[in-house]
Amino acid sequence: MKTFQFKPKLVDTLRNYTRSDFSTDLMAGIIVGIVALPLAIAFGIASGVSPEKGIITAIVAGFIISLLGGSKVQIGGPTGAFIVIIYGIIQQYGLEGLMIATLMAGILLIILGVFRLGTIIKFIPYPIIIGFTSGIALTIFTTQIADVFGLQFGGEKVPGDFIGKWILYARHFDTVNWWNVAVSIASILIIALTPKFSKKIPGSLVAIILVTVAVYLMKMYGGVTSIDTIGDRFSIQSQLPEATVPSLDWEAVKNLFPVAITIAVLGAIESLLSATVADGVIGDHHDSNTELVAQGIANIISPIFGGIPATGAIARTMTNINNGGRSPIAGIVHAIVLLLILIFLMPLAKFIPMACLAGVLVVVSYNMSGWRVFKGLLKNPKSDVTVLLITFFLTVIFDLTVAIEVGLVIACVSFMKRVMETTQISVITDEIDPNKESDVETHEEHLVIPEGVEVYEINGPYFFGIATKFEEIMARLGDRPQIRIIRMRKVPFIDSTGIHNLTTLCEMSQKENIHIILSGVNPQVHAVLERSGFYTLLGKENICSNINEALDVARKELGVS
């Protein structure tokens, strides 16, 4: 097994870096920084923290992910996927609980990378990923309804669950503020129409500037004072906070560990998906394990400076690529641009209407939903549809922690089921056709199996599910041959249950005076069986390299030529 090597893409990039490359990356980084600004503010507020915390996350985590990551063009920062999780943690454990959970998630991500599990994460079934993202999108949309319609709840606390929110909205829908509705609709229309006029300038930024100016003028000269702005709800600090480390206690760690796993798994999935999509566009190959370690470091340092969980952001990464970014320098520039905005322009953010940010997040949730893909997956086999719907409804009705835990279990069970279906066990009692075999050495038309000998062919991995299947086949046959030859030439690996199964079979066979011979054991399986002490029970003379040798041993045992 290869050992982990930490190789940030920045190191390779700088070897042949030119002034022309820097000019391109500089422009891409500036544009991405501007694109990230409204999203960072919106994600911060929607997550239940102050707006500057979203920007701090984009600065700190974005800088580290570009500096140390395994992708040339990945842009890191807060994403919509974490909104639901962060909001739930703050409601239950407060900001300190969020800090502890994020730190633990960072450590878990580093462990995933160091143990080279980055490639495994990419094998999570597609229906589970779509179920997560579609469920998260619907949940984000639900959290924005109050600001879109300007609903007033009279001091009543908004429930954390999906159904509870909609019940509350229905009860208070008579408090709709139509000015808020107009602001939200205007924001959505501007975002939708901007690409028709400009591919470079993000619609969300155009919407925030135009709508903020319009609302400011209406307040100053039109007497419209019922539209809430960021400044009405938050006090904004235009500086990086001092580093603080939370006090850890075992009870907090134990309670927050499942949530930390959720953050780590979701962050790993989203960042590696983003990096994979980027590879396809720029024709590169990212290092999954280095990327996970960088994501882990970012999620350890970000909360120390007041940030929230971060991961690779597909939309911002694609913006980087589309504007010419081809190295981690562009991501570093994006973080510096955001830092300058935080220090010099952040006080202006207090004039941004909450309904405008809600409109931005409605568009984000729509783009994130992938409803066309979701609809297409419903035409797939029933097993995939079941997995998709279970993951989706668990994400929406319960929470993402439950959905990810169940989704990963479903993924494992689905994988094992498919492996079991590909592994076949057959029984041969008469003759073997050498034309269909790769390990038969004979000039005869057929290789005859002596009377009293049965040959069992295992084709595929011999693990716990197949071990049980093998036992069932033998029990069903119910006969007692003198010799059983087990052909394992097509068994790529064997686990402890398979070894236990073979050991039990040998012990039971010895009691019944049935001789066991193994044929065609590959070197990897051979080494595992030898380390387990299995050969002490069976005897090395009964381990044969091919079926000819096995049949020769069988004939000697029977006393026939």
Side-chain angles (χ1 to χ4, degrees), residues 432 437-441 447 454-458 484-491 502 516-523 525-526 529 534-535 538 540-554:
I432 296 172
E437 307 296 328
S438 59
D439 67 337
V440 173
E441 299 173 1
L447 195 62
E454 284 181 354
V455 178
Y456 295 82
E457 173 87 47
I458 304 174
R484 285 178 175 143
I485 298 175
I486 302 174
R487 299 184 78 186
M488 300 179 69
R489 62 198 176 122
K490 295 180 181 178
V491 177
L502 279 177
I516 298 290
I517 301 170
L518 300 188
S519 168
V521 181
N522 76 30
V525 176
H526 180 89
L529 290 174
F534 175 77
Y535 290 158
L538 190 64
K540 286 194 175 182
E541 68 277 5
N542 294 309
I543 312 299
C544 304
S545 59
N546 57 57
I547 190 64
N548 294 76
E549 289 183 19
L551 288 173
D552 286 342
V553 173

Side-chain angles (χ1 to χ4, degrees), residues 485-527:
I485 298 175
I486 302 174
R487 299 184 78 186
M488 300 179 69
R489 62 198 176 122
K490 295 180 181 178
V491 177
F493 73 83
I494 185 169
D495 72 352
S496 57
T497 308
I499 295 170
H500 174 72
N501 173 269
L502 279 177
T503 303
T504 303
L505 173 65
C506 287
E507 290 172 347
M508 294 299 294
S509 297
Q510 286 173 358
K511 289 179 183 177
E512 297 175 350
N513 293 319
I514 299 173
H515 195 88
I516 298 290
I517 301 170
L518 300 188
S519 168
V521 181
N522 76 30
Q524 184 178 343
V525 176
H526 180 89

